[in-house]
Amino acid sequence: MPSPQGQADAETGARRPAGALEAEIMAELWAAQGPMTAAQVHAALGEDLAYKTVLTVLGRLHTKGLVDREPTAGRAHAYSPRRVAAEQAAEQMNAALRRGPQPAEVLQRFVDTLDADEQAALRALLSAQD
């Protein structure tokens, strides 16, 4: 049985990059108006994914501390993101900086990839910190 992160795309036979299914599920949870059951997430993805795969990934996200889960009727749970999307992205960026040997160079390369509007927003945020 293939791992959820390596799940093959039903139409192309291509495999998802590592973490792609987790990201898709998190995007659905962030877009939701409230907690979602695994069945609701499965339906929202609209793909040819096994329900059990979605359930497994939700369990992994819970174990990683990325989602909270609350019991619903029967054995089901409703899942909700522990952090808003921007907070989660910022945490990932900080982790990447801490892993790198030269944080200033990593920051420079990141800034080099930003478009003019993003650079202006970053400047405004930095000047507001002063």
Side-chain angles (χ1 to χ4, degrees):
M1 176 169 149
S3 71
Q5 280 75 19
Q7 183 76 27
D9 181 291
E11 293 180 16
T12 65
R15 297 179 78 73
R16 282 185 178 83
L21 185 53
E22 285 186 1
E24 290 173 40
I25 289 174
M26 289 301 298
E28 290 296 336
L29 293 173
W30 279 316
Q33 298 299 312
M36 296 177 75
T37 64
Q40 291 169 320
V41 173
H42 181 250
L45 289 173
E47 296 184 32
D48 193 20
L49 278 175
Y51 169 80
K52 191 169 182 173
T53 299
V54 173
L55 191 59
T56 298
V57 174
L58 284 165
R60 289 180 182 166
L61 290 168
H62 179 260
T63 299
K64 291 178 179 182
L66 298 175
V67 299
D68 290 322
R69 74 177 175 200
E70 54 193 61
T72 61
R75 294 179 18 190
H77 290 89
Y79 297 85
S80 57
R82 188 164 285 172
R83 297 173 191 88
V84 297
E87 188 177 9
Q88 182 65 34
E91 187 175 300
Q92 291 171 335
M93 292 167 69
N94 274 317
L97 278 176
R98 287 191 297 272
R99 282 192 308 267
Q102 298 173 329
E105 184 177 341
V106 172
L107 281 171
Q108 180 61 57
R109 290 179 183 267
F110 172 72
V111 169
D112 290 345
T113 66
L114 301 177
D115 66 29
D117 291 339
E118 293 165 336
Q119 286 184 12
L122 182 57
R123 281 190 195 92
L125 289 168
L126 290 171
S127 64
Q129 296 293 315
D130 293 335

